[in-house]
Amino acid sequence: MAEKYISKEAYLDGRVITEGGKRVVEEGEAEGLNPTFATILAKHKPNPWGKGCLQLYLLATVCFLNSTMSGFDGSLMGSINVLENYTSYYGLPDTGTASTGIVFAIFQIGQMCAALFVWIADWQGRKRLIFIGTVGVIVGTIITSTAKNLSNFIGGRFLLSFFATLACSASPLYLVEVAPPQYRGTLAGMYNTFYYFGSILATSAVYGAHKHLSHVGNLDWRLPLWLQMVCPGFVSLVILFFPESPRWLVGKDRHEEAREFLIKYHANGDPDHPLVALEMAEMIDSLKREPVTNWRNFFDLSVLFKTRARRYRTMLNMTFAWFGQFSGNNVVSYYLPYLLANVGITSDDTKLLLNIIYALVGYIFSSAGARLHDVVGRRKMLLGATAGLIICLSITAGTAAGYVNTGNHASSSASIAFIFIFGAVFAFAYTSMQPIYPAEVMSNDMRAKGMGTYKIMGGCAGFINTFAAPIALTNIGYWFYVFFIFWDCFEFAFMYFFFIETKGLTLEEMDEIFEAKNPRKASTDSGDGIPESLNGQSSVGLW
């Protein structure tokens, strides 16, 4: 089928690539792993502000709203957990216990259960799974917002988490697959920055409701719960009108629809643009060799492990899922009020206000980091940020210990400051890459199931964090930071030796990286994700 869109000739030193007899790349122009892509961008780069690109950005922005669900929940529960009306209504204790932990951790249990159904994205398509997830979130929100007892509240949170996970798994899949290669890190990376947008909405809603509605029944915590359906409700109204992922369309042999997508959104409506022919040829060849999931192999996980290259991909997917939830960040996002109480902040209004500021700081730094992943590279930013997390946690632990042992208010202020700096560092490098890096390191036929393993592993890490954290914070205080200092040191070493660089590579080009003897070394040999051993070889030759 590839010949329908492009006829190819490949030579060692010169390349001629034609479409319909028209030369689109001159002989000898190409350099690098994918010389045709590099050459086309150099001479025929689509206008990033053209009509098609602007429409793609609008589609992506709507998908970003799904990311607000996770941020909204984390900050919402952390905020209302300090409200007396909420804790007394459900009979929850003031200090962290297993009861507090299960209210938080049920979200991770729902996430792990939903991960078993992410394969629906290969069966029904990315946008249909987003629709199912957003409608389910609305149902879960109604149950939690009207729950009369703790059991119903926990049950509603399970449903909310289950369906939010479906939507939040399909959204990055969709974004990674529809984004142009040259902007994939930025466009898809912006998705998770809206975690903090949701956090800002939640913390602001709780703060405002507490200030003005705390005397009106239980509205100070029930109203913010109702607001949890706003963003997913909007997405559910429009998502079915979106175009489907071109890679999913090719996988279903709907090639002409995929080509129309590329013409409209990647080439600003130019059907003769050479990028269209190149991307179609790459997708057709990749999906011919590695078809997407069908009804016969929904639960066949061998696709994730059957070769050494696939095991390496899955290892990166699962470890980054764990690191993204277990670097100390989840403890801060869910239990910031407890952390503040440990260093002498007791006013509910002050705790809620600091929660809002923490979310604002995260949103600013994560948005900046999303763009720089395409400039600096994934590996460098992740390694630098992990080193920064170690430093921040070390200072936070030391200053918290100083306050506990001496009552020194300067130590208290310093501890709070470095909690916020920790959040900024994590947001800068980790937040935008959390759902993107695990998706882009998977091949086309692995991606949906890979996002399932990502959610299961992230759910396990989050469950341990959120269930154990309130007990640990109550019993060992600042020593909890010390544990994460040593853990983050391990993360740094692991990333250094095993994480590949994906900057500058199309999703299909990564196949060659993972077939190398040492994928990490192959991806970093030339400093931008293109191995020296493949320089001068066209990806056309790899087809």
Side-chain angles (χ1 to χ4, degrees):
M1 292 298 297
E3 289 76 9
K4 179 177 179 180
Y5 302 104
I6 184 168
S7 56
K8 311 181 287 289
E9 296 179 68
Y11 305 94
L12 181 62
D13 297 312
R15 281 91 180 141
V16 179
I17 299 180
T18 64
E19 180 178 17
K22 177 183 176 182
R23 176 178 290 180
V24 293
V25 179
E26 299 296 328
E27 294 186 17
E29 285 184 334
E31 296 177 358
L33 174 63
N34 191 349
T36 57
F37 181 70
T39 305
I40 290 169
L41 284 188
K43 293 196 172 185
H44 310 283
K45 185 178 181 179
N47 178 9
W49 303 111
K51 181 180 178 181
C53 289
L54 290 176
Q55 289 175 328
L56 182 60
Y57 304 155
L58 182 60
L59 297 180
T61 302
V62 174
C63 287
F64 295 164
L65 295 178
N66 281 332
S67 185
T68 63
M69 290 186 282
S70 297
F72 199 105
D73 183 81
S75 294
L76 172 67
M77 294 308 300
S79 295
I80 68 173
N81 205 49
V82 305
L83 302 182
E84 184 180 351
N85 282 346
Y86 164 75
T87 54
S88 61
Y89 186 89
Y90 288 125
L92 295 169
D94 293 331
T95 57
T97 66
S99 298
T100 306
I102 195 62
V103 172
F104 286 85
I106 194 66
F107 202 85
Q108 277 68 42
I109 296 174
Q111 176 178 313
M112 288 185 282
C113 292
L116 301 175
F117 297 89
V118 176
W119 51 262
I120 294 173
D122 275 350
W123 175 33
Q124 291 293 314
R126 281 52 169 143
K127 68 178 185 179
R128 286 186 182 175
L129 185 57
I130 293 174
F131 175 76
I132 293 169
T134 51
V135 171
V137 167
I138 295 171
V139 174
T141 300
I142 293 171
I143 294 173
T144 56
S145 302
T146 59
K148 299 297 184 183
N149 55 60
L150 188 61
S151 297
N152 290 344
F153 185 76
I154 292 173
R157 280 184 52 73
F158 174 85
L159 288 177
L160 195 153
S161 169
F162 183 92
F163 287 105
T165 299
L166 295 182
C168 291
S169 296
S171 295
L173 274 179
Y174 182 83
L175 289 168
V176 164
E177 294 182 348
V178 303
Q182 66 271 30
Y183 304 123
R184 189 179 66 245
T186 302
L187 188 61
M190 282 294 294
Y191 169 79
N192 218 39
T193 67
F194 273 63
Y195 173 97
Y196 291 103
F197 185 69
S199 185
I200 293 167
L201 292 177
T203 50
S204 300
V206 175
Y207 180 76
H210 177 65
K211 289 284 287 184
H212 303 291
L213 299 174
S214 59
H215 61 286
V216 186
N218 295 297
L219 274 181
D220 59 337
W221 58 274
R222 287 220 187 262
L223 179 61
L225 287 172
W226 278 109
L227 294 176
Q228 202 158 6
M229 70 163 63
V230 173
C231 289
F234 175 75
V235 174
S236 69
L237 293 176
V238 299
I239 191 65
L240 292 180
F241 299 100
F242 280 28
E244 189 49 90
S245 155
R247 285 174 172 83
W248 185 81
L249 291 171
V250 169
K252 298 297 182 180
D253 291 326
R254 294 159 61 178
H255 294 179
E256 194 57 40
E257 291 177 64
R259 189 170 187 272
E260 288 173 2
F261 179 97
L262 297 175
I263 290 170
K264 181 175 182 179
Y265 296 105
H266 286 197
N268 291 316
D270 180 5
D272 298 319
H273 198 286
L275 272 181
V276 175
L278 177 65
E279 290 190 78
M280 280 301 300
E282 283 191 332
M283 288 190 291
I284 290 170
D285 180 73
S286 176
L287 288 160
K288 184 189 299 180
R289 289 183 282 108
E290 301 167 345
V292 295
T293 302
N294 58 51
W295 67 270
R296 295 183 183 87
N297 58 5
F298 282 148
F299 297 103
D300 180 10
L301 297 182
S302 64
V303 68
L304 301 177
F305 306 103
K306 63 185 179 183
T307 67
R308 183 186 64 85
R310 289 170 180 266
R311 290 190 291 273
Y312 198 102
R313 288 176 185 265
T314 302
M315 177 269 291
L316 292 182
N317 172 285
M318 297 176 73
T319 53
F320 192 66
W322 188 278
F323 294 169
Q325 299 294 324
F326 210 76
S327 300
N329 53 300
N330 244 16
V331 175
V332 173
S333 63
Y334 272 88
Y335 296 108
L336 181 59
Y338 279 144
L339 304 183
L340 296 174
N342 279 348
V343 290
I345 303 296
T346 57
S347 166
D348 286 351
D349 282 347
T350 303
K351 291 176 184 178
L352 293 174
L353 191 58
L354 288 174
N355 245 354
I356 297 173
I357 296 172
Y358 184 84
L360 281 168
V361 169
Y363 185 61
I364 292 168
F365 278 86
S366 62
S367 298
R371 177 67 191 114
L372 289 179
H373 277 290
D374 272 339
V375 178
V376 178
R378 281 62 150 163
R379 261 179 59 87
K380 290 178 183 177
M381 286 187 65
L382 289 172
L383 286 170
T386 305
L389 298 182
I390 295 168
I391 294 170
C392 290
L393 285 174
S394 299
I395 297 174
T396 300
T399 51
Y403 171 77
V404 170
N405 294 326
T406 67
N408 186 294
H409 288 285
S411 295
S412 170
S413 298
S415 182
I416 294 169
F418 275 93
I419 287 174
F420 279 74
I421 295 172
F422 171 93
V425 172
F426 183 90
F428 184 69
Y430 274 80
T431 295
S432 58
M433 280 296 105
Q434 276 183 284
I436 303 306
Y437 190 83
E440 65 182 4
V441 298
M442 307 302 270
S443 62
N444 288 319
D445 63 326
M446 299 172 67
R447 193 164 293 119
K449 290 179 180 177
M451 290 307 288
T453 62
Y454 166 74
K455 288 296 184 181
I456 290 174
M457 186 59 66
C460 288
F463 177 82
I464 293 172
N465 258 339
T466 53
F467 186 74
I471 302 171
L473 288 168
T474 299
N475 293 323
I476 63 175
Y478 60 82
W479 286 104
F480 199 41
Y481 299 121
V482 177
F483 165 78
F484 282 107
I485 293 170
F486 287 103
W487 178 259
D488 287 352
C489 288
F490 166 75
E491 286 187 6
F492 182 91
F494 192 95
M495 287 180 175
Y496 180 82
F497 287 108
F498 296 106
F499 272 39
I500 72 160
E501 180 57 71
T502 61
K503 171 197 166 191
L505 299 173
T506 66
L507 296 176
E508 286 73 26
E509 285 173 351
M510 293 180 207
D511 294 349
E512 192 69 17
I513 291 290
F514 284 103
E515 292 298 333
K517 183 177 181 181
N518 184 337
R520 193 277 304 166
K521 188 174 186 299
S523 75
T524 57
D525 272 347
S526 68
D528 60 359
I530 302 174
E532 289 179 354
S533 61
L534 295 176
N535 277 346
Q537 294 184 34
S538 170
S539 61
V540 175
L542 300 175
W543 289 338

